[in-house]
């Protein structure tokens, strides 16, 4: 499980849908959440949060140019590749914030993309993949 530390800098909500913008180590991340207004109203600007995202929900793009509906496209460098027969775990160093992120993708994708340690890539995370945790009690979702 990946955990990125940050602070809420914006909140937009309508009904039970809430979109948070979180500043995490020099990068703005979007997290879309479904919650009753009584719950999302506590997610105020300035609140320290942890964004949790499973390794299987992190995609990798190499030499990507163009538009994409995925809101969180983070520049990264591959620091390690642990290849299995079917799946591979890719360790990434996010730039410029130097946080670590892991992605699990198919070994076939690693081979087709010719991924290697040192490659510059983009880690891509859908805004709906994040679970937002209060840093004061980082074991429970906010």
């Amino acid at each position: 499980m990946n955990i990125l530390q940050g602070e809420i800098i914006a909140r937009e909500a309508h009904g039970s849908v809430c979109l948070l913008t979180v500043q995490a180590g020099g990068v703005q991340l979007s997290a879309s959440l479904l919650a009753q207004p009584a719950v999302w109203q506590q997610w105020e600007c300035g609140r320290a949060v942890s964004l949790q995202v499973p390794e299987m929900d992190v995609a990798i793009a190499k030499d990507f140019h163009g538009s994409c509906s995925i809101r969180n496209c983070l520049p990264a460098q591959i620091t390690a590749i642990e290849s299995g027969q079917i799946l591979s775990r890719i360790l990434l160093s996010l730039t410029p914030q130097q946080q670590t992120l892991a992605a699990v993708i198919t070994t076939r994708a690693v081979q087709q993309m010719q991924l290697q340690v040192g490659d510059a890539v983009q880690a891509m995370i859908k805004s709906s993949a994040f679970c937002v945790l209060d840093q004061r009690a980082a074991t429970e979702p906010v």
Side-chain angles (χ1 to χ4, degrees):
M1 185 67 69
N2 294 298
I3 299 177
L4 301 171
Q5 308 299 327
E7 180 180 304
I8 297 172
I9 60 170
R11 178 185 74 195
E12 180 182 351
H14 181 74
S16 61
V17 179
C18 181
L19 180 64
L20 299 177
T21 303
V22 175
Q23 184 75 31
V27 171
Q28 288 186 12
L29 301 171
S30 294
S32 59
L33 310 160
L34 296 175
Q36 294 300 316
V39 174
W40 60 250
Q41 287 173 351
Q42 64 184 318
W43 300 329
E44 52 203 23
C45 290
R47 186 171 184 171
V49 294
S50 296
L51 296 177
Q52 195 174 66
V53 62
E55 295 176 359
M56 295 285 287
D57 287 340
V58 179
I60 294 176
K62 183 177 175 182
D63 301 322
F64 178 76
H65 303 286
S67 299
C68 180
S69 67
I70 296 176
R71 297 293 78 204
N72 301 297
C73 298
L74 311 171
Q77 184 174 25
I78 297 175
T79 58
I81 300 174
E82 303 166 5
S83 289
Q85 186 173 346
I86 305 290
L87 296 175
S88 292
R89 186 170 188 255
I90 313 300
L91 297 179
L92 304 164
S93 176
L94 300 178
T95 52
Q97 65 274 34
Q98 300 305 312
Q99 292 193 61
T100 301
L101 192 68
V104 173
I105 63 175
T106 64
T107 299
R108 185 177 296 166
V110 172
Q111 294 164 348
Q112 288 174 344
M113 295 171 69
Q114 299 178 355
L115 295 178
Q116 297 178 5
V117 171
D119 281 354
V121 295
Q122 286 188 316
M124 304 176 87
I125 306 167
K126 291 180 68 170
S127 63
S128 59
F130 284 117
C131 177
V132 180
L133 304 172
D134 185 347
Q135 279 190 5
R136 294 172 293 201
T139 58
E140 297 182 25
V142 177

